[in-house]
Amino acid sequence: GQQLNQSPQSMFIQEGEDVSMNCTSSSIFNTWLWYKQDPGEGPVLLIALYKAGELTSNGRLTAQFGITRKDSFLNISASIPSDVGIYFCAGRANAGGTSYGKLTFGQGTILTVHP
Amino acid sequence: GAGVSQSPSNKVTEKGKDVELRCDPISGHTALYWYRQSLGQGLEFLIYFQGNSAPDKSGLPSDRFSAERTGGSVSTLTIQRTQQEDSAVYLCASSSYAGGYTFGSGTRLTVV
């Protein structure tokens, strides 16, 4: 079945530093999504990417949909303590801009930010 | 409702007992999903409902797991004869056609 490899598994950084994490897939996805999960909560969508090569920003977050449609990265600039949490990539195989259909998730990146 | 509501938030059960987990999706969302998250792992897809039917239930790990949805709204995930490896957080999400997923806070299931 489809698998997503997400790296790094964890990161320990100083406040103000930039962060980069990425996901690679063994198969093509037509939608890439990045989520953040806080303890005791469900994942919350940060950025959605629908087109190969697309580069999208949301405040200090920037994500790109790889040209091959088999990878994506997320950058966080000027990190702050509230960026702490687990970040997940997710891919959806079906095309057409719909949100319907299952997501395949990466294993997550645990981010710790030291003040 | 305003968000996806799951109940109970925590459930401790004895090995071999049956459990039912409930999900109330966002009103008007026709799609509903169940995922399982084991400690330190990503989310594992279980089943997807479109209305009351389940076009994709490929992620259910065994025949001890079943789910239903009634009235195009509330869904129940049932685990029969629970085993210790069933211990996990069970997350429900709902979506509209183009509105993206919204997840609930999950049910933490512990089988002792």
Side-chain angles (χ1 to χ4, degrees):
Chain A
Q2 295 169 319
Q3 292 187 9
L4 289 183
N5 291 313
Q6 184 172 349
S7 64
Q9 287 187 322
S10 62
M11 301 184 75
F12 298 83
I13 62 171
Q14 291 292 129
E15 183 177 359
E17 290 183 356
D18 297 346
V19 171
S20 185
M21 58 192 80
N22 69 86
C23 272
T24 58
S25 168
S26 57
S27 56
I28 287 171
F29 287 105
N30 287 298
T31 301
W32 282 91
L33 306 159
W34 285 92
Y35 286 85
K36 181 182 181 222
Q37 186 176 28
D38 291 325
E41 301 294 327
V44 174
L45 181 66
L46 299 174
I47 291 182
L49 302 155
Y50 300 106
K51 194 172 165 184
E54 180 180 355
L55 184 72
T56 297
S57 292
N58 178 7
R60 294 179 296 105
L61 278 61
T62 301
Q64 184 155 34
F65 188 150
I67 291 290
T68 64
R69 292 189 284 161
K70 291 186 178 182
D71 63 305
S72 177
F73 72 75
L74 174 71
N75 286 342
I76 306 172
S77 63
S79 58
I80 59 178
S82 61
D83 290 334
V84 164
I86 306 176
Y87 291 79
F88 291 99
C89 61
R92 179 185 295 117
N94 50 293
T98 176
S99 294
Y100 291 155
K102 76 176 186 184
L103 296 178
T104 300
F105 281 82
Q107 303 96 322
T109 295
I110 302 171
L111 179 63
T112 303
V113 180
H114 294 288
Chain B
V4 177
S5 178
Q6 290 189 246
S7 61
S9 54
N10 279 285
K11 175 74 177 178
V12 179
T13 189
E14 290 182 353
K15 178 181 170 182
K17 294 281 176 72
D18 298 352
V19 294
E20 284 189 354
L21 313 179
R22 177 186 167 106
C23 173
D24 261 296
I26 290 175
S27 178
H29 279 191
T30 59
L32 185 147
Y33 314 81
W34 285 98
Y35 287 81
R36 177 168 72 174
Q37 185 175 26
S38 301
L39 188 64
Q41 299 295 314
L43 281 70
E44 174 191 6
F45 169 79
L46 298 178
I47 187 169
Y48 157 43
F49 285 94
Q50 185 59 259
N52 291 335
S53 62
D56 189 349
K57 41 185 158 183
S58 61
L60 294 177
S62 75
D63 59 8
R64 295 187 296 106
F65 287 72
S66 63
E68 66 174 13
R69 190 179 184 196
T70 55
S73 181
V74 172
S75 175
T76 303
L77 176 70
T78 301
I79 309 173
Q80 295 178 308
R81 305 180 303 281
T82 51
Q83 304 293 313
Q84 287 184 327
E85 62 261 28
D86 299 335
S87 296
V89 175
Y90 289 82
L91 288 158
C92 175
S94 68
S95 77
S96 57
Y97 178 81
Y101 274 42
T102 300
F103 280 89
S105 296
T107 294
R108 180 175 297 280
L109 175 66
T110 304
V111 181
V112 298

